[in-house]
């Protein structure tokens, strides 16, 4: 019975994740600006069939989270510790970080604006115990955030100015708004 429930729960998690992907594709990341769990139907097609047949023991929960990339200081600390252990790849990474240091905040901002972590939980009762599985996926949408502004047609100068303004770097007057 447990294996049957896990199998069904896995399929329901896949279905809910696919529905979320489609919703984000149509609505953008605006729906994904919260970190609290939402609860609802796991799969619209299945829910219609289950409602006709009776009760459903499965409940789905999902949430969206903005991805937070490690800071330059955190990355340098981790690479430094690995390099002290004799890891040559880490030593090369430290040298690369020195070169990337000036642009890393800009790249971080672009990536954080274009990536969301989506978690889906499927929960069911198995006798007196609550059982669950959780699936996590990272969805990317390059049309979101500062990267999206660049891709929508801002000139290179407008995009650079907008990125600098959003990361706190550089002065300059107003950002250039891109056309849709």
């Amino acid at each position: 019975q447990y294996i049957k429930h896990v199998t069904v729960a896995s399929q329901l998690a896949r279905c809910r994740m696919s529905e979320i992907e489609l919703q984000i594709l149509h609505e953008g990341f605006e729906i994904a600006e919260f970190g609290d769990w939402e609860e609802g139907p796991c799969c619209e097609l299945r829910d219609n069939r289950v409602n006709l047949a009776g009760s459903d023991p499965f409940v789905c929960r999902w949430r969206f989270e903005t991805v937070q990339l490690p800071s330059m200081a955190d990355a340098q600390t981790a690479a430094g510790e690995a390099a002290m252990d004799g890891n040559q790849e880490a030593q090369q990474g430290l040298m690369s970080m020195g070169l990337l240091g000036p642009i890393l905040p800009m790249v971080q901002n672009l990536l954080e604006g274009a990536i969301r972590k989506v978690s889906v939980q499927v929960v069911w009762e198995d006798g007196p115990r609550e059982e669950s599985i959780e699936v996590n996926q990272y969805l990317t949408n390059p049309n979101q955030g500062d990267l999206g502004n660049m891709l929508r047609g801002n000139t290179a100068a407008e995009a650079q100015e907008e990125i600098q303004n959003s990361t706190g770097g550089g002065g300059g007057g107003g950002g250039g708004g891109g056309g849709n």
Side-chain angles (χ1 to χ4, degrees):
Q1 187 70 10
Y2 176 77
I3 292 171
K4 179 181 174 184
H5 281 142
V6 169
T7 301
V8 172
S10 299
Q11 293 168 350
L12 291 173
R14 180 180 297 157
C15 181
R16 184 66 198 131
M17 190 66 78
S18 296
E19 290 174 348
I20 289 169
E21 288 177 32
L22 288 173
Q23 187 178 5
I24 287 177
L25 181 65
H26 292 286
E27 297 178 29
F29 281 161
E30 288 74 28
I31 67 161
E33 295 303 326
F34 56 88
D36 295 331
W37 289 98
E38 279 197 36
E39 189 171 297
C42 292
C43 187
E44 288 183 24
L45 178 63
R46 180 176 190 279
D47 286 342
N48 291 337
R49 283 187 281 155
V50 168
N51 287 339
L52 296 174
S55 65
D56 187 4
F58 298 96
V59 175
C60 276
R61 298 179 187 132
W62 59 92
R63 72 174 169 193
F64 305 91
E65 299 173 80
T66 301
V67 173
Q68 298 293 314
L69 298 174
S71 69
M72 181 65 147
D74 291 342
Q76 286 176 330
T77 300
E81 289 171 0
M84 288 173 50
D85 291 339
N87 185 328
Q88 290 184 338
E89 291 175 0
Q91 292 170 350
Q92 292 172 346
L94 275 174
M95 289 188 290
S96 299
M97 278 187 224
L99 299 172
L100 294 175
I103 63 167
L104 189 60
M106 178 179 68
V107 172
Q108 279 182 300
N109 191 39
L110 290 173
L111 293 175
E112 287 175 357
I115 301 172
R116 293 295 181 273
K117 178 183 177 184
V118 180
S119 301
V120 173
Q121 284 183 344
V122 180
V123 182
W124 68 95
E125 298 292 326
D126 189 11
R129 295 187 324 253
E130 180 179 276
E131 298 286 347
S132 67
I133 64 166
E134 183 172 330
V135 178
N136 298 299
Q137 179 172 312
Y138 293 88
L139 299 178
T140 60
N141 187 340
N143 291 320
Q144 301 291 306
D146 292 335
L147 185 56
N149 291 332
M150 288 173 31
L151 295 173
R152 281 191 291 276
N154 287 359
T155 65
E158 290 171 331
Q160 182 62 31
E161 183 175 328
E162 192 167 317
I163 290 168
Q164 286 178 343
N165 290 336
S166 68
T167 60
N180 288 332

